[in-house]
Amino acid sequence: MQRITITIEDELLAEIDAAAEARGYQNRSEIIRDLARAGLQQSAEDATPSGQCVAALVYVYDHAARDLSKRLVQNFHGHHDLSLATLHVHLDDDSCMEVTALKGASGEVRHLADHIIAERGVRYGRVVMIPTAADKKLKARKHGHRHD
């Protein structure tokens, strides 16, 4: 590990210190390392996607928005090869949250996620993409089944 010196504006340092305290970090170095990792991961995700990935698409939407549920289902049916499973949660009288597990080519997963998030009536959306090795060989497991 290397020791470095950086210069940070007072307001930004105050935000970092407040976040460190709220999250229970022992010191500034720990939270700055985690924030740097998160920033680098986000930069990598924002770069041109390539290869295979798994992803979690989380979005909150107004279930009463005109034809939104139908449009969402049509989007997923049009990309049935990417969608693994969806969890649906009723948040209140107006809002639902869905978490969808996706798997496939990064560009296709990003494209589907962007279309879901952009639908009128979707209030919030975020996708977390995790690269996977497409040619990784399956290892024998002792728990009696294979993972394809």
Side-chain angles (χ1 to χ4, degrees):
M1 195 172 300
Q2 294 185 21
R3 181 179 300 267
I4 63 168
T5 302
I6 61 172
T7 304
I8 298 179
E9 302 88 16
D10 291 340
E11 297 82 17
L12 180 56
L13 186 57
E15 287 184 53
I16 291 170
D17 287 343
E21 184 177 340
R23 297 179 188 175
Y25 283 92
Q26 298 298 313
N27 56 56
R28 288 177 176 162
S29 292
E30 291 178 12
I31 190 167
I32 289 173
R33 279 193 295 270
D34 282 354
L35 292 171
R37 284 186 198 102
L40 290 170
Q41 180 181 1
Q42 186 64 49
S43 292
E45 289 176 9
D46 292 343
T48 305
S50 63
Q52 297 292 304
C53 74
V54 292
L57 172 59
V58 180
Y59 56 99
V60 175
Y61 66 96
D62 177 358
H63 75 266
R66 182 182 169 112
D67 294 327
L68 178 58
S69 294
K70 181 179 177 181
R71 291 192 314 269
L72 292 172
V73 168
Q74 287 173 338
N75 268 311
F76 284 114
H77 279 275
H79 298 89
H80 62 87
D81 55 322
L82 301 176
S83 182
L84 300 174
T86 298
L87 168 69
H88 180 92
V89 180
H90 299 277
L91 299 176
D92 57 35
D93 289 342
D94 301 318
S95 301
C96 293
M97 177 179 73
E98 290 192 349
V99 181
T100 300
L102 303 169
K103 182 178 181 181
S106 296
E108 293 176 26
V109 168
R110 171 69 66 185
H111 179 78
L112 173 59
D114 288 346
H115 275 79
I116 296 295
I117 292 168
E119 284 286 351
R120 183 179 301 137
V122 173
R123 297 182 180 133
Y124 172 86
R126 178 165 294 174
V127 62
V128 176
M129 297 174 61
I130 302 166
T132 60
D135 59 350
K136 188 173 182 178
K137 300 289 183 199
L138 295 175
K139 294 181 181 179
R141 302 283 184 202
K142 293 182 180 177
H143 59 277
H145 66 273
R146 292 176 33 132
H147 294 265
D148 294 302

